[in-house]
Amino acid sequence: MRILMTIAYDGTNFSGWQKQKLPEVRTVEGELEKALRKLFHDPALECIGASRTDAGVHALGQRAVVDVETTIPVEKIPLAVRPFLPEDIVVTKAEAVPPEFHPRFDCVKKTYEYRFWNAPTKNPKERLYSAHQAKPLDVEQMNRAATAFIGRHDFAAFCAAGSSVSSTVRTIFDCHAEREGDVVKIFVTGDGFLYNMVRIVAGTLMAVGLGKLTPEALPDIIESGDRRQAGQTAEPQGLTLLEIYY
């Protein structure tokens, strides 16, 4: 039976989602597989994840599948695996899916949130989940700029070096910013994302919010395909994978 799990985790103490060759490197996938192997008494069990989040990045709606033989009711798997998981990972939902279902290839869109703590002084409670920006961010200008991302574009200017994808074309369905007190949130929904793309989008919108870039500059930056023209790559701790849609 193929089981699709929804997983939430605090990425602070992980070297990203994907397990590494060195067993001492702590990853979300590695810890999840250890727990599932204990639960299902299968030392060879492996899971397939939907999104490879980076070190320090969080998730509320990560997805992964696992193939198992079990008498545990599917809806009880989140509760059953809980004692085997570390405190910074939770399986929030489990459901049966067809054997041919693939969590990455069958995905139609994903939503990420990026958070800035936008106040003169840092907030210790926010340090692991937001990037600090002391100068005021102009959310109205950020939203004007964000509309340039919406649609199908070549996002080569928003891809970090080291990516091996065959195409840098992606579709963005929504991109906008919101302020809640001292927190500025950026939400991005797309059919897929390049390496560090959301963090570069966040860094670029931060530059707009600071007045370093104008909203009118964004279409030309996208068109250029030049990574040097976009903003900085925002820090990983501000990023959370909110949801994956099928």
Side-chain angles (χ1 to χ4, degrees), residues 172-204:
I172 300 299
F173 303 109
D174 176 68
C175 184
H176 70 278
E178 300 175 3
R179 177 179 288 280
E180 292 183 7
D182 288 327
V183 176
V184 172
K185 302 178 182 180
I186 295 169
F187 296 93
V188 188
T189 299
D191 63 355
F193 297 95
L194 304 169
Y195 182 42
N196 282 350
M197 179 174 164
V198 180
R199 289 167 57 190
I200 299 170
V201 167
T204 303

Side-chain angles (χ1 to χ4, degrees), residues 3 32 34 43 45 80 98-99 101-102 105 132 136 156 160 189 193 198 222 233-234:
I3 305 298
L32 179 63
K34 285 180 190 177
L45 179 149
F101 177 89
H102 195 286
F105 302 142
H132 178 234
T189 299
F193 297 95
V198 180
I222 295 171
T233 304

Side-chain angles (χ1 to χ4, degrees), residues 34-35 44 91 96 113 147 151-152 183 216:
K34 285 180 190 177
V91 175
E113 174 195 59
T147 61
R152 190 162 182 80
V183 176
E216 292 74 23

Side-chain angles (χ1 to χ4, degrees), residues 101-121:
F101 177 89
H102 195 286
R104 187 166 72 254
F105 302 142
D106 288 334
C107 166
V108 294
K109 60 182 180 179
K110 304 175 184 179
T111 297
Y112 282 89
E113 174 195 59
Y114 196 90
R115 292 169 59 97
F116 290 103
W117 177 254
N118 190 210
T121 57

Side-chain angles (χ1 to χ4, degrees), residues 130-163:
S130 302
H132 178 234
Q133 175 49 248
K135 297 179 180 179
L137 292 171
D138 187 332
V139 174
E140 183 178 347
Q141 290 291 91
M142 293 168 71
N143 273 319
R144 285 184 59 205
T147 61
F149 294 118
I150 298 173
R152 190 162 182 80
H153 304 288
D154 186 335
F155 286 101
F158 295 84
C159 180
S163 175

